């Protein structure tokens, strides 16, 4: 049973939009409109959707190579984001960044394609917020793989030593490309490492949008309240390969099938809405269709936009260029 | 009676620039190991923490990856951070934030995000062997997106630092450890450091000595060595024009090419490694600008492509010096 049916419907809509956004991206791969790697967050929507309501415009969010859903959660313009992913001149960064490097100063959203490197940048934002004495939060989103980098340790240590408003959200999908977290990590969970830094830490089921929402609420309360850094580990499942084209031989067909059947945050939320009597099958279907057709229209718009002209190759390399 | 000439250490000239900019703009702040309480291992930031407080002059743990990235985040948030990597050799542990974040974000963002950050670091040989004596400016210049500043004169040490802090582009500012503890009057030119604020523009090489037989192009502390060598060679009838590049990025090809067009001979002296670096780049640019027929003679005198040995005898055989520059010029006669 859900405490707040309306909130759950809102979460559901957001997750639907996120799923359809990622599916729109998938359409750009065989056509080579997205001609490099593409990492989607299909299956991980509940983490971004549970986080979204807590984010204020002034908060900073630094994301990863798998960043689209966090951008949407932060309120980045969908059309500009999709246009950037589709390498268009009217994209967020004029097609210079592409899908791994979207930057949106208006919403204080940014990302990096290098695993672990989002945390130091978020630490800088956190340091600034602390100096200003504001209650804004710097959020670093990382995957489980990033928690075994030196930057993870360095940043949590510094954030705790200086009591900085840094929230590290780990999307633990159990795999760093093909390497299983449990095969290469000394601790069974990531959240328990928070204790080493005397930071706030906890685990949450990252497929349950309501649980994520609650856990994020606790984490934001802690960080905004001046309690220092927080480490929230959301366990989740990546449905696609690490990137589109990944043969995904490290997971058995049965495992992949089971993940989609049992851990789809959209299916789980739908069931919960039905069980609570918050929506009928028919209403859910209409929501799905509305979201799908909106995204299809968005994709058509983006596809009609021009590609960057080669004459602009050197533009933006330095101020005034 | 003339005013007594102000004589300060090179390190103090940098510190004055930082203090002046911190005074003028409260978005300027300083992060790094030992920059605060101790005032820096070379004394550059002495007194700044007392003056501007612990938040703006922040001693960090030995976590270069984290505090260099912190600089990137602060710059994106509207600050003007100066991040100190104590020795340039240490950049290996945080090159990621330098080459993939600081220098690339302005372009990757389509110009919507500026990274007005200065990475201050020290290069040059002070007898500390392979891991504490490198220059590496060629490495940074090879990677796109950053201004690369390597000052030589006390005047430039201050003026180029002020320009670096005011720049909206990311800047690598490489001091030379051979100079930091020296007094400004030991430098043959531009030895006077004005007390007030001023800047020196990027990308303007300086002809620090006029000559007609040979163009000697160099940067950083080697400019002083080259000037002394040129003076000693004068009685041998060689007139050497010495050019201080001041910045590798942007590189002032025009000034160098104009000189070579006059002298027909080019010698590039570089305390950084010989291959794939500044010396080869300068020669290539001159050839592209003037055509190969404009050059009667070309030579490079740079750090050999080996890790710098510890023994003094070996070090002296490796690092370009006043004496070795004289030899290099004599070979060209």
């Amino acid at each position: 049973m859900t405490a707040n049916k309306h909130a759950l419907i809102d979460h559901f809509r957001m997750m639907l939009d996120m799923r359809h956004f990622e599916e729109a991206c998938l359409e750009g791969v065989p056509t080579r409109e997205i001609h490099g790697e593409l990492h989607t967050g299909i299956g991980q929507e509940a983490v971004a959707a549970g986080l979204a309501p807590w984010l204020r415009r002034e908060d900073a969010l630094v994301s990863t190579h798998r960043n689209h859903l966090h951008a949407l959660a932060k309120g980045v313009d969908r059309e500009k984001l999709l246009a950037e992913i589709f390498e268009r001149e009217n994209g967020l960064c004029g097609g210079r960044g592409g899908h791994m490097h979207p930057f949106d100063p208006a919403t204080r959203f940014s990302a990096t394609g290098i695993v672990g490197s989002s945390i130091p940048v978020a630490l800088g934002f956190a340091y600034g917020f602390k100096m200003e004495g504001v209650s804004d939060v710097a959020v670093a989103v990382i995957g489980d793989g990033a928690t075994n980098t030196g930057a993870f340790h360095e940043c949590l240590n510094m954030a705790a030593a200086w009591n900085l408003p840094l929230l590290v959200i780990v999307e633990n999908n159990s795999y760093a490309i093909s390497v299983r977290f449990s095969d290469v990590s000394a601790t069974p969970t990531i959240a328990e490492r928070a204790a080493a830094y005397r930071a706030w830490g906890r685990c949450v089921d990252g497929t349950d949008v309501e649980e994520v929402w609650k856990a994020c609420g606790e984490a934001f309360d802690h960080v905004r309240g001046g309690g220092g850094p927080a480490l929230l580990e959301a366990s989740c499942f990546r449905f696609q390969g690490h990137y589109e084209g990944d043969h995904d031989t490290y997971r058995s067909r049965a495992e992949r099938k089971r993940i989609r059947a049992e851990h789809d945050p959209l299916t789980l939320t739908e069931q919960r809405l039905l069980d609570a009597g918050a929506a009928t099958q028919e209403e859910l279907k209409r929501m799905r269709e509305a979201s799908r057709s909106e995204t299809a229209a968005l994709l058509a718009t983006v596809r009609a936009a021009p590609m960057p002209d080669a004459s602009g190759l050197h533009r933006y390399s330095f101020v005034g260029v | 009676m003339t005013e007594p000439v102000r004589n300060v250490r090179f390190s103090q000239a940098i510190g004055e620039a930082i203090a002046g900019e911190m005074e003028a703009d409260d978005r300027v702040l300083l992060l790094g190991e030992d920059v605060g309480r101790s005032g820096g291992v070379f004394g550059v930031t002495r007194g700044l923490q007392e003056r501007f407080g612990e938040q703006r002059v922040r001693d960090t743990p030995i976590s270069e990856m984290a505090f260099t990235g912190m600089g990137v985040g602060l710059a994106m948030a509207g600050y003007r951070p100066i991040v100190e990597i104590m020795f340039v050799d240490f950049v290996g542990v945080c090159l990621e934030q330098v080459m993939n974040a600081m220098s690339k974000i302005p372009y990757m963002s389509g110009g919507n995000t500026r990274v007005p950050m200065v990475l201050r670091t020290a290069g040059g040989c002070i007898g500390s062997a392979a891991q504490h004596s490198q220059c590496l400016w060629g490495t940074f210049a090879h990677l796109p997106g950053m201004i690369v500043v390597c000052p030589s004169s006390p005047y430039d040490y201050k003026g180029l630092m002020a320009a670096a802090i005011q720049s909206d582009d990311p800047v690598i500012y490489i001091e030379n450890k051979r100079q930091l503890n020296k007094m400004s009057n030991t430098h043959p030119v531009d030895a006077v450091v004005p007390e007030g604020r001023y800047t020196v523009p990027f990308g303007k090489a300086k002809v620090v000595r006029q000559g007609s037989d040979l163009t000697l192009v160099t940067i950083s502390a080697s400019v002083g060595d080259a000037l002394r060598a040129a003076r000693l060679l004068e009685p041998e009838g060689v007139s050497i024009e010495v050019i201080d590049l001041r910045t590798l990025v942007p590189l002032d090809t025009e000034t160098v090419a104009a000189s070579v067009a006059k002298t027909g001979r080019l010698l590039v002296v570089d305390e950084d490694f010989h291959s794939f670096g500044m010396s080869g780049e300068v020669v290539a640019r001159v050839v592209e600008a003037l055509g190969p027929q404009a050059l009667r003679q070309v030579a490079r005198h740079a750090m050999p492509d080996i890790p710098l040995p510890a023994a003094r005898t070996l070090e002296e055989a490796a690092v370009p010096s006043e004496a070795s520059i004289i030899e290099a010029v004599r070979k060209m006669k």
Side-chain angles (χ1 to χ4, degrees):
Chain A
M1 257 316 262
T2 174
N4 188 335
K5 294 172 189 173
H6 293 298
L8 189 56
I9 285 179
D10 289 344
H11 278 135
F12 180 65
R13 281 187 213 276
M14 182 176 265
M15 288 196 291
L16 271 179
D17 289 344
M18 287 174 166
R19 174 71 55 90
H20 291 139
F21 187 92
E22 293 292 53
E23 287 176 353
C25 292
L26 294 181
E27 290 193 39
V29 176
T31 60
R32 292 186 59 78
E33 287 162 292
I34 301 168
H35 80 288
E37 282 171 277
L38 175 72
H39 313 88
T40 72
I42 294 174
Q44 303 186 176
E45 294 86 351
V47 183
L51 163 68
W54 300 103
L55 288 166
R56 296 180 186 164
R57 201 164 178 84
E58 295 75 23
D59 294 334
L61 193 154
V62 189
S63 180
T64 68
H65 55 288
R66 201 178 306 287
N67 58 59
H68 307 167
L69 305 186
H70 315 128
L72 296 174
K74 193 69 183 72
V76 173
D77 183 272
R78 289 167 67 84
E79 186 181 328
K80 286 184 182 167
L81 179 65
L82 193 63
E84 187 59 35
I85 297 165
F86 275 71
E87 310 172 5
R88 306 292 156 144
E89 178 66 31
N90 67 334
L92 212 49
C93 309
R96 270 68 171 177
H99 107 91
M100 271 192 280
H101 320 103
F103 295 86
D104 186 28
T107 57
R108 282 191 166 159
F109 174 82
S110 64
T112 171
I114 309 294
V115 170
S117 286
S118 59
I119 330 171
V121 176
L123 187 72
F125 277 99
Y127 192 82
F129 295 153
K130 170 89 176 181
M131 275 198 296
E132 290 152 26
V134 293
S135 63
D136 303 331
V137 173
V139 182
V141 181
I142 58 174
D144 47 281
T147 65
N148 288 334
T149 67
F152 175 84
H153 158 67
E154 291 185 2
C155 293
L156 276 167
N157 175 60
M158 287 163 80
W162 300 334
N163 201 46
L164 302 183
L166 177 72
L167 169 56
V168 179
I169 295 187
V170 187
E171 293 180 322
N172 183 354
N173 61 26
S174 303
Y175 286 93
I177 304 187
S178 67
V179 178
R180 249 188 276 253
F181 179 78
S182 56
D183 290 347
V184 294
S185 305
T187 54
T189 73
I190 294 155
E192 70 195 77
R193 298 185 195 170
Y197 308 100
R198 298 189 168 190
W200 183 101
R202 65 161 282 192
C203 297
V204 67
D205 175 356
T207 66
D208 184 329
V209 69
E210 288 185 298
E211 286 303 312
V212 173
W213 179 78
K214 281 185 218 157
C216 284
E218 287 173 31
F220 272 93
D221 278 352
H222 175 85
V223 179
R224 268 198 222 291
L231 175 63
L232 179 62
E233 174 184 3
S235 50
C236 55
F237 299 87
R238 149 163 72 73
F239 286 8
Q240 302 290 110
H242 163 65
Y243 67 99
E244 290 313 304
D246 179 359
H247 294 299
D248 207 344
T249 50
Y250 44 89
R251 299 189 290 195
S252 69
R253 190 180 294 269
E255 182 183 353
R256 278 181 277 151
K257 209 171 157 186
R258 184 181 55 77
I259 285 170
R260 283 179 184 267
E262 295 175 13
H263 299 289
D264 187 335
L266 273 77
T267 315
L268 295 170
T269 307
E270 265 185 336
Q271 195 54 54
R272 194 171 296 175
L273 284 166
L274 291 170
D275 291 348
T280 64
Q281 286 281 13
E282 188 55 35
E283 285 167 334
L284 292 175
K285 196 179 160 204
R286 277 206 299 275
M287 277 186 233
R288 274 188 188 276
E289 278 165 7
S291 170
R292 188 177 289 123
S293 66
E294 272 173 38
T295 311
L298 178 71
L299 180 59
T301 308
V302 163
R303 282 179 151 158
M307 294 292 289
D309 190 86
S311 64
L313 180 63
H314 291 275
R315 209 173 153 205
Y316 312 122
S317 53
F318 287 102
V319 169
V321 180
Chain B
M1 275 259 311
T2 51
E3 287 270 317
V5 172
R6 209 162 81 94
N7 195 20
V8 300
R9 287 184 201 281
F10 281 70
S11 56
Q12 197 183 332
I14 308 165
E16 280 185 12
I18 296 172
E21 298 312 303
M22 289 188 80
E23 192 71 58
D25 185 348
D26 57 18
R27 298 171 303 167
V28 179
L29 53 114
L30 186 64
L31 310 166
E33 293 151 9
D34 305 291
V35 297
R37 189 180 290 181
S38 90
V41 292
F42 300 107
V44 170
T45 55
R46 201 163 285 160
L48 294 182
Q49 193 180 63
E50 285 155 7
R51 198 163 151 196
F52 298 104
E54 281 185 11
Q55 282 198 321
R56 287 182 71 197
V57 182
R58 172 59 75 181
D59 276 324
T60 62
I62 303 174
S63 302
E64 283 90 351
M65 173 75 168
F67 70 72
T68 306
M70 233 178 112
V72 174
L74 281 161
M76 289 168 71
Y79 291 89
R80 294 186 167 274
I82 306 164
V83 172
E84 178 179 318
I85 303 294
M86 190 187 292
F87 284 48
V88 72
D89 314 73
F90 308 165
V91 82
V93 295
C94 61
L95 189 59
E96 148 53 19
Q97 289 292 340
V98 179
M99 66 178 248
N100 280 322
M102 182 186 91
S103 62
K104 287 198 175 81
I105 287 172
Y107 184 91
M108 288 197 298
S109 70
N112 77 26
T113 302
R114 294 289 167 203
V115 183
M117 166 173 166
V118 182
L119 194 83
R120 249 196 70 220
T121 187
C125 176
I126 49 163
S128 300
Q131 295 177 343
H132 287 71
S133 299
Q134 296 169 97
C135 293
L136 301 183
W137 42 68
T139 304
F140 297 111
H142 179 70
L143 300 163
M146 31 191 161
I147 306 281
V148 181
V149 179
C150 312
S152 71
S153 74
Y155 183 87
D156 283 1
Y157 259 87
K158 182 169 174 179
L160 283 168
M161 173 51 79
I165 298 167
Q166 289 178 26
S167 170
D168 286 334
D169 287 317
V171 178
I172 301 267
Y173 179 99
I174 305 176
E175 299 149 21
N176 197 305
K177 298 192 290 289
R178 293 199 276 137
Q179 294 178 294
L180 288 173
N181 283 327
K182 287 192 178 147
M183 301 307 291
S184 56
N185 68 3
T186 60
H187 195 73
V189 291
D190 299 319
V192 179
V193 180
E195 284 186 57
R197 286 174 74 208
Y198 64 93
T199 57
V200 171
F202 301 147
K204 303 277 179 215
K206 184 165 184 180
V207 179
V208 287
R209 186 180 201 275
Q210 307 273 344
S212 54
D213 299 332
L214 167 71
T215 301
L216 193 164
V217 176
T218 188
I219 204 163
S220 187
S222 296
V223 173
D225 301 329
L227 285 167
R228 284 182 282 267
R231 200 166 53 217
L232 290 168
L233 284 161
E234 189 86 55
E236 298 180 24
V238 199
S239 166
I240 302 175
E241 183 142 301
V242 180
I243 296 178
D244 175 5
L245 290 173
R246 292 165 142 177
T247 61
L248 271 191
V249 180
L251 185 62
D252 183 358
T253 307
E254 208 178 308
T255 298
V256 177
S259 173
V260 177
K262 181 177 72 176
T263 62
R265 284 202 185 93
L266 173 63
L267 170 65
V268 188
V269 174
D270 190 6
E271 197 183 339
D272 195 2
F273 296 119
H274 181 93
S275 298
F276 309 100
M278 177 184 114
S279 58
E281 185 64 29
V282 169
V283 172
R285 297 249 189 143
V286 170
V287 172
E288 283 167 348
L290 301 177
Q293 73 287 347
L295 287 139
R296 279 182 285 134
Q297 238 181 336
V298 178
R300 297 194 275 164
H301 178 47
M303 263 291 289
D305 299 321
I306 48 167
L308 191 71
R312 184 189 287 271
T313 48
L314 296 173
E315 179 191 288
E316 283 172 357
V319 183
S321 63
E322 181 187 305
S324 72
I325 292 170
I326 289 172
E327 285 312 304
V329 173
R330 283 183 179 146
K331 275 188 207 155
M332 290 183 79
K333 276 207 244 177

